[in-house]
Amino acid sequence: MKRACINSNEIALLDKQVRVHLINGLGGFKSVSLVGTRSEIGTNNLAIFSSIFHLGANPPLVAMIFRPSPPERDTLRNIISTGFYTLNHINEDIYKQAHQTSARYDIEVSEFEAVGLTPEFKSNFPSPFVKESAIQLGVAFKEKVDISINNTTMIIGEIIEIHVPEDCLSKDGFIDLEKANTITCSGLDSYHKTIRLDRLSYAKPDKEVTSILAVE
Amino acid sequence: MKRACINSNEIALLDKQVRVHLINGLGGFKSVSLVGTRSEIGTNNLAIFSSIFHLGANPPLVAMIFRPSPPERDTLRNIISTGFYTLNHINEDIYKQAHQTSARYDIEVSEFEAVGLTPEFKSNFPSPFVKESAIQLGVAFKEKVDISINNTTMIIGEIIEIHVPEDCLSKDGFIDLEKANTITCSGLDSYHKTIRLDRLSYAKPDKEVTSILAVE
């Protein structure tokens, strides 16, 4: 395998867009979801994010990163002003519409309407879910953390409502994301479905890991 | 589609391990990499992490989350004491060994040796790369952020060295992770390879997104 080696100085000299593509890709495959919010005047907003990550299970926390002066400024404002948002997994049927939500629509435009996805309101949750998503999470805003090193903002939320297809839930709590058709992304614009290799047993120093699919 | 609905109270009442599986899965597919460090007395440490995420491209920053009293305490200590670490993508040939690094080995044991992966030192970088990984990153520790809401720790690092197969690099900076055989994971123990659906054009409000694979 012939590897290119790129050092700090060379990274700094890259064309800005090339660097953005390159560094975004290096982190590996990413979670990608649609974030649903509602503005104070009642516009349903929807934006795609690939910067969402698991922060902890108890309490159930997820976090996401906003860039400085982000195009997703409506999402950030709505999260802070209303205190709630939804996370909706993206599947093969809707990934083009999902990507289209990243266009810079005017503030009064609902991306749901613009791209052709359906806002769903249920169980008195104040933000819109995406009806076409199999896995939908209702999240309550908990904390804003300013990351000074590059002027980004981390938003931490608590998952307070989970909607997940019954046949994707295992007894041990494992969620079969593939059965829910959840996809993943890489870089800025590449979308991928997945093929499961295996589920592996809890690792112990004196024991070889084994497949646990048979005992699921 | 019949969806189960699980609310806050029900989440809190779940068995601890079920909750850990469930919440870990809800974030979607995750980046998964091997973190290579060297202790002050020269032991080569290796640990699998699925909490690594892209923080920004300029400067090129990645971040990762450590749990309170993490089993990966050796990794955290080595990063802070030496100031450097490596991130190494996991492929189909090594995911079982990668998973095995999560076993709680004693501090003096090198996980490289224990699981059968090869430490690689090059270009004077002080931490070990994983020879079997196609994509290898040398990272300099920049900042430790304490996240008080659940006592986790975020470690921010700057990518200062990139080793990537030449045939995986596009002119526009995009990295073909699939060609590098990089895999993804879900939940605590499920590993997946990917099939690319498409790369999509930069979204604009008045334009339909199109595939950009043909023009790559």
Side-chain angles (χ1 to χ4, degrees), chain B residues 83-100:
Chain B
F84 294 95
Y85 52 111
T86 67
L87 297 178
N88 306 270
H89 284 210
I90 297 171
N91 55 58
E92 201 176 341
D93 293 335
I94 62 168
Y95 76 96
K96 287 183 186 171
Q97 289 108 303
H99 185 78
Q100 181 66 39

Side-chain angles (χ1 to χ4, degrees), chain B residues 9-195:
Chain B
N9 296 334
E10 291 160 338
I11 296 171
L13 290 172
L14 289 173
D15 166 79
K16 191 185 161 200
Q17 270 314 105
V18 170
R19 185 174 52 231
V20 168
H21 273 287
L22 180 70
I23 304 302
N24 254 284
L26 289 174
F29 289 102
K30 297 183 283 188
S31 165
V32 59
S33 283
L34 285 163
V35 179
T37 55
R38 197 168 162 88
S39 74
E40 286 187 307
I41 60 158
T43 306
N44 294 323
N45 187 281
L46 193 64
I48 190 169
F49 278 85
S50 65
S51 63
I52 299 163
F53 57 96
H54 170 78
L55 188 61
N58 188 25
L61 298 177
V62 283
M64 57 194 293
I65 302 294
F66 287 84
R67 292 172 282 174
S69 350
E72 318 84 12
R73 62 198 179 284
D74 299 344
T75 300
L76 184 55
R77 188 189 312 112
N78 293 346
I79 288 175
I80 292 172
S81 70
T82 67
F84 294 95
Y85 52 111
T86 67
L87 297 178
N88 306 270
H89 284 210
I90 297 171
N91 55 58
E92 201 176 341
D93 293 335
I94 62 168
Y95 76 96
K96 287 183 186 171
Q97 289 108 303
H99 185 78
Q100 181 66 39
T101 63
S102 63
R104 300 192 184 205
Y105 291 104
D106 290 337
I107 185 168
E108 70 277 10
V109 173
S110 166
E111 289 82 3
F112 281 97
E113 277 175 47
V115 308
L117 291 170
T118 315
E120 182 181 21
F121 287 93
K122 54 187 171 187
S123 45
N124 291 319
F125 198 81
S127 316
F129 295 96
V130 176
K131 192 174 185 182
E132 291 82 358
S133 293
I135 297 178
Q136 308 163 318
L137 309 176
V139 185
F141 168 60
K142 299 305 279 188
E143 209 172 304
K144 177 173 169 286
V145 178
D146 294 318
I147 299 178
S148 56
I149 193 169
N150 67 347
N151 295 315
T152 51
T153 302
M154 178 166 60
I155 291 291
I156 300 174
E158 179 174 345
I159 300 172
I160 58 171
E161 200 172 296
I162 301 167
H163 300 276
V164 56
E166 283 183 355
D167 62 354
C168 298
L169 260 180
S170 301
K171 273 188 193 158
D172 68 356
F174 177 77
I175 299 182
D176 191 335
L177 296 179
E178 251 163 47
K179 202 181 252 182
N181 292 316
T182 295
I183 64 168
T184 176
C185 77
S186 69
L188 296 173
D189 52 30
S190 188
Y191 297 90
H192 309 256
K193 58 183 178 179
T194 62
I195 300 175

Side-chain angles (χ1 to χ4, degrees), chain A residues 22-91:
Chain A
L22 180 71
I23 304 302
N24 254 284
L26 288 174
F29 289 102
K30 296 183 285 189
S31 166
V32 61
S33 283
L34 284 163
V35 179
T37 56
R38 196 168 163 88
S39 74
E40 286 186 307
I41 62 160
T43 306
N44 294 322
N45 187 281
L46 193 63
I48 190 168
F49 278 85
S50 65
S51 62
I52 299 163
F53 57 96
H54 170 79
L55 188 61
N58 188 24
L61 298 177
V62 281
M64 57 195 292
I65 302 294
F66 287 83
R67 291 172 284 173
S69 348
E72 319 85 12
R73 62 198 180 286
D74 300 345
T75 300
L76 184 55
R77 188 189 312 112
N78 293 346
I79 289 175
I80 293 172
S81 69
T82 68
F84 294 95
Y85 52 110
T86 68
L87 298 178
N88 307 270
H89 285 209
I90 298 171
N91 55 58

